[in-house]
């Protein structure tokens, strides 16, 4: 019986008492809350409270109604769990459920108690529960690092975060240790060990801090939701958050380090760096500088954010308000005083817009020195610039001669101005800003000399003509600047697109598994059309460079220019081929940074694969030692006991006792021999030292020998007319023997071994009528050390060895359910007369 929430039913409220450590009194606090609610007339019952034998906790239950627990039988023991169905039938207003992270006994409706709690909440019942901070899933590794104890029972953080109310239950480490010493937490025999291990003062202090920080994050989330729900735009300085405005300039490192020192003064503070991109999406700072500052922020335990905004100060302030920041750190402007007086400064504008957010202005060595502007290369080719200069010189002269030939000197000046302006625009389109400015000046002189009264002199008689010529020059220069800016922006957009395409291709190669060193250099050579690309590595700064991977695309026809791109301190890319323009070099720097990430990702993946193999080997070794220590010792102990009994000089054994001891020795020796054989076979399989000899073999020579030790328990059905199989008879015999041994052990009613032939195969079936194997375990039953029962006997190697030996001889072993109950192991062996290439 489970409850399903209906559309009109109110979901129950969840109250969690979060303990900073075991024994702080969270169950007491939960019972106090239950008593308070009951005195107010609320219907409260106890679904489950763990007293752990503490008299004080049991007495605290008082006369609260307790719902009987549900009894569960597991491995001969009776366990008690929360009876969800009984609580639903009782339908109280509030139910107490202790230990939220508890794992339910096998056979329960849900594996975890918090899932039971969700059923009660869906039914509209309020739940009051408890959990310790060490059981939160996200803190498992931290708690293990602090206490040395791994928590096996955990609850997802989100389950607790979604609670309607969280109440922290806390005690100082000294108080908790006193409670423990007085016997209020554990039994007397556990006190000394607990005080010296888990409950050390340092451990308790660290757990207390973990609980406070985790709860502070949850409270901060609730504050953010409240501000959003109530449209509160202003900041509430409940927690120190320092936002640093990062420009990508040289001063940004100074700002970040200063902000980090500010953050370190108050525990729990956060450092957030924000970089504003223009709305056109084109980078305003070198990508390498931004990447370096991002790495610095992460090294300082901060977070790096990129936002897009038309106005940098407004974008920074909006971001700070959005994250509820308490301070913005900005640097003194790099621009000179006269430029600040004319255009203002971003830092001053941020201070004006910040409102209640503090602004911390940091000086630096680059302050007021003027923003360094590198010589900006032209976006146009040399040929196009040369054509532009030629047109700039010829266009004014050609227009002048043409107008004079047409007799336009006496016409209105407006016609000449429009024609010359069109010529300047044409020059700007062809050659860019500088040729067009020169064309504008030349056009001004021609207009003044030939078409403005008085002609033949550089004087202007009419004021309106003077104004027209000045406006002409200004418009011509403005148009030229706009055309040049558009060309540069187009070039930047092209470069950004090329960079994004290149890095995206590299990322795709990572996702597709092609992130080898050779794939990186081949991608680079293809993208940039290079003759040769090498990835080189060296052990340290004084060592020589060694080639890790290289690619050649054939002899080049042009210059063999060599470009070096540093990936990191120990790796570099060497590019041989055409000279690369500055724009390509910038993309290469980004490509080098991405290459470092790719290679590091590959190295980490290789280490993870190696670690997985080591972990698997270690798990196998551990399981082997644990199993061998028991399963080899048991027959050895039986043999030793029997031998001691036979060899005892003062004991007179009758023939019946002697036979019994001898049989014990024989049985234990056989068992020990089988264990050792399985271990040896598994070792041979894992090391690849099994060398099968495949030849035509009759199953009549193999199967009877395999089942001989269990003839009394086996019904054998192997027809005489079966075709020959292509196999190694000895290894196939060991395969069938292991399967029969396993079947006999699990099927008291006996085992049937039958064989039959198909067109290309012969099938051997080992059929038992035992308990069978669940479907979810059939996939892992052939792994080493997988016991199919709970008897605790055997190493769990029989099926693993059988499967490995079968694969070695070209056969397969699969598991099927026996009709009516049990397990059938099917061994499929290829026929000797089957065509080559078929099973």
């Amino acid at each position: 019986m489970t409850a399903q929430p209906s559309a009109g039913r109110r979901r129950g409220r969840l109250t969690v008492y979060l303990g900073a450590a075991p024994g702080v009194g969270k169950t007491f606090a939960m019972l106090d809350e239950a008593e308070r609610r009951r005195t107010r007339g609320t219907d409260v019952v106890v679904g489950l409270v763990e007293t752990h034998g503490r008299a004080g906790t049991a007495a605290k239950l008082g006369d609260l109604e307790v719902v009987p627990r549900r009894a569960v039988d597991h491995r001969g023991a009776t366990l008690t769990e929360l009876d969800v169905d009984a609580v639903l039938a009782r339908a109280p207003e509030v139910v107490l459920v202790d230990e939220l992270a508890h794992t339910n006994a096998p056979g329960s409706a849900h594996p975890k108690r918090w899932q039971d709690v969700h059923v009660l909440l869906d039914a509209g019942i309020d739940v009051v529960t408890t959990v310790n901070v060490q059981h939160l899933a996200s803190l498992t590794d931290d708690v293990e690092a602090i206490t040395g104890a791994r928590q096996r029972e955990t609850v997802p953080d989100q389950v607790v975060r979604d609670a309607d109310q969280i109440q922290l239950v806390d005690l100082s480490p000294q108080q908790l240790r006193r409670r423990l010493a007085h016997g209020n937490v554990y039994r007397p025999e556990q006190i000394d060990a607990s005080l010296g291990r888990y409950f050390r003062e340092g451990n308790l202090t660290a757990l207390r801090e973990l609980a406070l920080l985790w709860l502070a994050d949850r409270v901060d989330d609730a504050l953010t939701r409240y501000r959003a729900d109530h449209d509160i735009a202003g900041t509430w300085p409940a927690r120190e958050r320092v936002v640093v405005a990062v420009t990508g300039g040289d001063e940004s490192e100074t700002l970040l380090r200063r902000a980090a020192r500010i953050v370190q003064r108050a525990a729990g503070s956060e450092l957030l760096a924000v970089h504003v991109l223009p709305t056109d999406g084109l980078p305003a700072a070198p990508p390498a500088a931004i990447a370096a500052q991002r790495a610095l922020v992460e090294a300082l335990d901060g977070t790096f954010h990129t936002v897009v905004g038309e106005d940098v100060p407004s974008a920074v302030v909006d971001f700070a308000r959005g994250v509820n920041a308490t301070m913005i750190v900005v640097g003194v402007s790099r621009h000179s005083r006269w430029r600040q007086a004319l255009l203002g400064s971003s830092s001053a504008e941020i201070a004006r817009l910040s409102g209640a957010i503090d602004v911390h202005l940091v000086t630096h060595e680059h302050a007021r020195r003027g923003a360094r502007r590198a010589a900006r290369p032209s976006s146009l080719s040399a040929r196009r610039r040369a054509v532009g200069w030629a047109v700039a010189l010829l266009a004014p002269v050609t227009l002048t001669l043409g107008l004079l030939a047409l007799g336009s000197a006496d016409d209105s000046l407006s016609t000449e101005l429009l024609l010359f302006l069109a010529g300047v625009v044409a020059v700007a389109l062809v050659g860019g800003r500088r040729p067009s400015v020169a064309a504008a000046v030349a056009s001004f002189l021609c207009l003044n000399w030939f078409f403005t009264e008085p002609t033949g002199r550089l004087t202007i008689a009419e004021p309106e003509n003077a104004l027209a010529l000045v406006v002409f020059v200004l418009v011509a220069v403005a148009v030229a600047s706009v055309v040049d800016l558009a060309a540069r922006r187009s070039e930047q957009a092209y470069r950004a697109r090329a960079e994004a395409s290149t890095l995206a291709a590299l990322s795709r190669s990572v996702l597709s598994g092609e992130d080898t060193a050779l794939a990186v250099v081949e991608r680079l050579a293809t993208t940039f059309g290079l003759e040769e690309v090498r990835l080189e590595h060296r052990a340290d700064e004084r060592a020589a460079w060694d080639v890790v991977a290289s690619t050649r695309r054939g002899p080049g026809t042009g210059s063999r220019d060599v470009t070096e791109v540093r990936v990191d301190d120990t790796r570099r890319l060497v590019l041989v081929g055409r000279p690369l323009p500055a724009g390509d070099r910038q993309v290469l720097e980004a490509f080098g940074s991405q290459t470092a990430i790719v290679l590091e990702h590959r190295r980490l993946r290789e280490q993870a694969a190696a670690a997985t193999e080591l972990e698997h080997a270690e798990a196998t070794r551990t399981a082997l030692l644990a199993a061998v220590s028991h399963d080899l010792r048991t027959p050895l102990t039986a043999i030793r006991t029997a031998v001691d009994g036979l060899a005892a000089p003062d004991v007179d054994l009758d023939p019946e006792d002697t036979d019994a001891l001898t049989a014990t020795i024989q049985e234990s020796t056989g068992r020990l021999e089988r264990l050792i054989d399985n271990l040896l076979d598994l070792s041979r399989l894992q090391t690849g030292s099994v060398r099968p000899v495949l030849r035509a073999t009759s199953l009549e020579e193999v199967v009877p020998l395999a089942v001989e030790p269990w003839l009394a328990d086996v019904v054998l059905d192997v027809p005489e007319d079966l075709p020959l199989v292509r196999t190694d008879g000895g290894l196939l015999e060991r395969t069938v023997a292991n399967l029969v041994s396993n079947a006999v052990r699990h099927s008291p009613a006996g085992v049937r071994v039958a064989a039959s032939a198909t067109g290309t195969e012969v099938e051997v079936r080992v059929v038992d009528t035992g308990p069978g194997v669940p479907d979810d375990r059939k996939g892992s039953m052939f792994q080493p050390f997988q016991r199919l029962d709970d008897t605790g006997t055997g190493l769990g190697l029989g099926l693993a060895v059988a499967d490995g030996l079968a694969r070695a001889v070209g056969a397969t072993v699969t598991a099927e359910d026996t009709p009516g109950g049990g397990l059938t192991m099917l061994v499929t062996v290829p026929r000797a007369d089957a065509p080559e290439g078929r099973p």
Side-chain angles (χ1 to χ4, degrees):
M1 170 180 174
T2 57
Q4 297 295 330
S6 63
R9 180 185 296 168
R10 176 190 71 88
R11 179 177 169 83
R13 293 176 58 83
L14 177 63
T15 301
V16 177
Y17 282 87
L18 178 65
V24 294
K26 61 186 182 301
T27 303
F28 257 60
M30 179 180 68
L31 292 172
D32 284 338
E33 174 67 16
E35 187 62 31
R36 284 193 297 271
R37 295 195 185 197
R38 193 179 67 163
T39 56
R40 295 196 298 266
T42 304
D43 182 16
V44 181
V45 301
V46 175
L48 188 145
V49 168
E50 298 287 0
T51 63
H52 297 292
R54 302 168 190 164
T57 305
K60 192 70 176 176
L61 284 169
D63 57 352
L64 287 171
E65 180 184 348
V66 179
V67 176
R69 301 189 185 190
R70 179 175 56 87
V72 179
D73 292 328
H74 179 62
R75 294 186 178 181
T78 300
L79 307 176
T80 59
E81 298 291 353
L82 172 67
D83 194 334
V84 178
D85 292 339
V87 175
L88 292 174
R90 171 62 176 76
E93 294 180 70
V94 180
V95 61
L96 309 185
V97 180
D98 207 1
E99 298 188 358
L100 185 64
H102 172 76
T103 300
N104 291 329
S108 300
H110 302 103
K112 303 291 289 186
R113 185 168 291 168
W114 62 264
Q115 295 170 315
D116 295 337
V117 167
H118 274 197
V119 174
L120 299 177
L121 294 173
D122 290 338
I125 301 173
D126 293 348
V127 178
V128 182
T129 186
T130 65
V131 69
N132 284 328
V133 68
Q134 70 265 23
H135 295 297
L136 295 173
S138 66
L139 302 180
T140 301
D141 293 338
D142 295 331
V143 172
E144 182 180 11
I146 293 169
T147 65
R150 184 75 176 180
Q151 299 298 324
R152 301 300 178 188
E153 293 187 329
T154 60
V155 59
D157 289 46
Q158 198 59 42
V159 173
V160 183
R161 284 186 181 274
D162 290 341
D164 299 278
Q165 180 179 351
I166 301 177
Q167 180 68 46
L168 179 65
V169 183
D170 187 21
L171 282 178
S172 69
Q174 296 79 10
Q175 287 177 301
L176 183 54
R177 285 172 60 84
R178 282 197 297 271
R179 287 195 63 190
L180 187 68
H182 293 160
N184 295 328
V185 180
Y186 294 139
R187 294 190 298 271
E189 62 270 18
Q190 298 177 299
I191 293 175
D192 290 339
S194 299
L195 286 172
R197 295 179 182 174
Y198 193 93
F199 286 85
R200 289 182 295 180
E201 189 169 331
N203 291 357
L204 297 177
T205 302
L207 290 174
R208 192 182 192 192
E209 183 177 7
L210 275 180
L212 291 171
L213 290 176
W214 187 92
L215 190 59
D217 285 338
R218 195 268 183 183
V219 172
D220 188 67
D221 292 342
L223 177 61
T224 301
R225 287 197 299 269
Y226 181 86
R227 291 176 61 237
D229 293 341
H230 292 79
D231 295 326
I232 299 174
T235 58
W236 286 3
R239 186 178 189 179
E240 284 290 335
R241 283 189 179 85
V242 180
V243 171
V244 187
V246 175
T247 64
D250 296 333
E251 79 284 354
S252 295
E253 181 176 346
T254 302
L255 302 185
L256 290 171
R257 297 192 183 279
R258 180 66 59 83
R261 289 198 295 271
I262 295 173
V263 167
Q264 290 170 359
R265 296 171 188 167
S269 300
E270 293 184 30
L271 172 65
L272 302 95
V274 58
H275 174 66
V276 181
L277 280 176
T279 52
D280 57 13
L282 298 177
I290 296 298
Q293 289 163 17
R294 182 189 295 272
L296 176 59
V297 171
E298 293 172 353
L300 296 173
D301 294 330
T303 56
F304 192 95
H305 305 266
T306 301
V307 298
V308 177
E310 180 69 29
D311 181 62
V312 172
S314 298
V316 171
V317 173
D318 289 343
F319 174 81
R321 286 179 179 150
V323 298
N324 201 26
T326 55
M327 180 183 294
I328 301 174
V329 176
V330 295
V332 175
S333 176
R334 293 177 294 168
H335 300 305
S336 59
R337 294 183 184 274
W338 69 266
R339 181 165 180 174
Q340 292 184 52
L342 292 175
L343 304 177
S345 67
S346 296
S347 55
E349 185 66 11
I350 289 173
R352 186 183 70 82
L353 298 173
S354 62
I357 306 176
D358 295 338
V359 177
H360 190 86
L361 191 63
V362 178
T363 188
H364 49 86
E365 60 180 342
H366 305 285
R368 297 190 179 91
R369 292 187 178 181
R372 292 186 301 174
R373 292 180 178 270
R376 186 160 46 197
S378 174
S379 304
L380 306 176
S381 64
R383 179 179 179 182
R384 187 170 169 182
R385 292 197 304 271
V387 173
W389 280 109
V391 175
L393 295 176
L394 295 175
V397 175
T398 303
L399 282 172
T400 301
L401 295 175
L403 290 172
L404 290 175
L406 295 174
S408 301
D410 298 330
D411 294 342
S412 171
L413 184 61
S414 58
T415 302
E416 287 81 0
L417 287 175
L418 290 175
L419 291 174
F420 275 94
L421 180 60
V424 172
V425 171
V427 173
L429 292 173
V430 175
R433 182 174 56 182
R434 292 183 181 179
S436 63
V437 171
V441 173
S443 298
F444 170 80
L445 296 176
C446 291
L447 287 167
N448 191 357
W449 186 271
F450 293 102
F451 303 102
T452 306
E453 296 294 335
T455 58
R457 289 184 294 175
L458 293 177
T459 58
I460 302 173
E462 298 296 334
E464 60 270 19
N465 291 339
L467 178 61
L469 289 176
V470 170
V471 170
F472 164 78
V473 173
L474 293 177
V475 170
V477 173
V479 169
S481 299
V482 169
V483 171
D484 181 70
L485 178 62
R488 286 191 290 107
R489 286 298 187 184
S490 298
E491 181 69 14
Q492 289 178 356
Y494 171 78
R495 294 296 176 189
R497 185 177 64 181
E499 178 180 349
S501 176
T502 302
L503 298 182
L506 187 60
S507 300
R508 282 195 301 271
S509 69
V510 175
L511 295 175
S512 62
E514 300 176 358
D515 55 336
T516 62
L518 182 60
V520 169
V521 296
E522 287 181 347
R523 174 73 63 182
L524 194 57
T526 302
T527 301
F528 293 94
L530 298 168
E531 178 182 337
E532 180 183 1
V533 178
R534 300 192 304 271
L535 176 63
E536 299 180 346
H537 175 270
R538 64 180 178 181
D540 52 54
E541 294 183 357
R542 291 175 294 182
W545 291 98
D546 297 322
V547 177
V548 177
S550 65
T551 183
R552 292 184 62 88
R553 294 167 52 86
T557 57
S559 172
R560 287 178 55 85
D561 188 71
V562 178
T563 303
E564 177 184 325
V565 177
R566 285 296 181 99
V567 174
D568 51 35
D569 293 337
T570 61
R571 286 174 290 196
R572 70 177 182 181
L573 289 165
V574 178
L575 303 92
V576 181
R578 63 182 179 87
L580 296 174
D584 281 350
R585 291 175 185 269
Q586 183 175 350
V587 177
L588 282 172
E589 292 293 336
F591 194 96
S593 301
Q594 189 74 2
T595 300
I597 297 173
V598 168
L599 297 177
E600 182 66 14
H601 177 270
R602 180 168 63 92
R603 185 184 66 83
L604 293 175
R605 193 173 63 220
E606 291 173 351
Q607 288 184 348
T612 301
E613 292 180 2
L614 291 175
E615 183 180 1
H616 178 70
E618 182 64 24
T620 302
R621 188 181 300 110
T622 302
L624 176 62
L625 292 176
V628 167
S629 64
H630 175 269
D631 291 299
L632 290 184
R633 183 178 297 276
T634 300
L636 284 175
T637 301
I639 293 172
R640 178 61 182 269
T641 301
V643 170
D644 288 344
L646 291 173
D650 54 346
V651 177
D652 187 13
L653 299 174
D654 57 32
E656 185 178 349
D657 292 335
T658 302
D659 293 342
L661 292 176
T662 303
T664 299
I665 294 175
Q666 291 176 337
E667 180 183 354
S668 299
T669 303
R671 179 179 173 187
L672 186 62
E673 184 179 11
R674 288 194 298 272
L675 291 175
I676 294 174
D677 286 343
N678 280 336
L679 287 173
L680 292 175
D681 286 341
L682 181 65
S683 175
R684 292 166 60 204
L685 289 169
Q686 290 184 339
T687 58
S689 58
V690 176
R691 298 290 185 270
V693 178
L694 303 181
R695 65 171 186 268
T697 305
S698 172
L699 286 183
E700 290 184 282
E701 301 174 359
V702 174
V703 178
L705 292 176
V707 304
E708 183 177 0
W710 305 278
L711 280 177
D713 301 306
V714 174
V715 175
L716 190 60
D717 182 13
V718 179
E720 297 180 357
D721 57 350
L722 284 177
L724 299 179
V725 295
R726 181 173 177 78
T727 186
D728 184 306
L731 296 181
L732 183 61
E733 177 188 334
R734 295 297 306 277
T735 300
V736 177
N738 277 343
L739 296 177
V740 172
S741 172
N742 185 75
V744 168
R745 188 166 65 252
H746 293 88
S747 181
V751 174
R752 179 172 177 269
V753 178
S756 60
T758 65
T760 58
E761 301 165 339
V762 174
E763 297 177 344
V764 179
R765 296 179 179 269
V766 180
V767 184
D768 69 59
T769 56
V773 177
D775 291 338
D776 58 350
R777 294 198 60 186
K778 288 178 181 176
S780 61
M781 62 189 296
F782 294 106
Q783 298 297 320
F785 310 109
Q786 300 292 321
R787 289 172 173 155
L788 300 182
D789 57 15
D790 297 326
T791 62
T793 62
L795 291 175
L797 296 178
L799 294 181
V801 171
D803 182 63
L805 293 175
R807 292 176 184 273
V809 299
T812 59
V813 179
T814 54
E816 300 176 349
D817 291 329
T818 301
L823 185 69
T824 297
M825 304 302 295
L826 175 64
V827 183
T828 303
V829 191
R831 291 174 51 162
D833 55 359
E836 289 293 331
R838 298 189 63 178

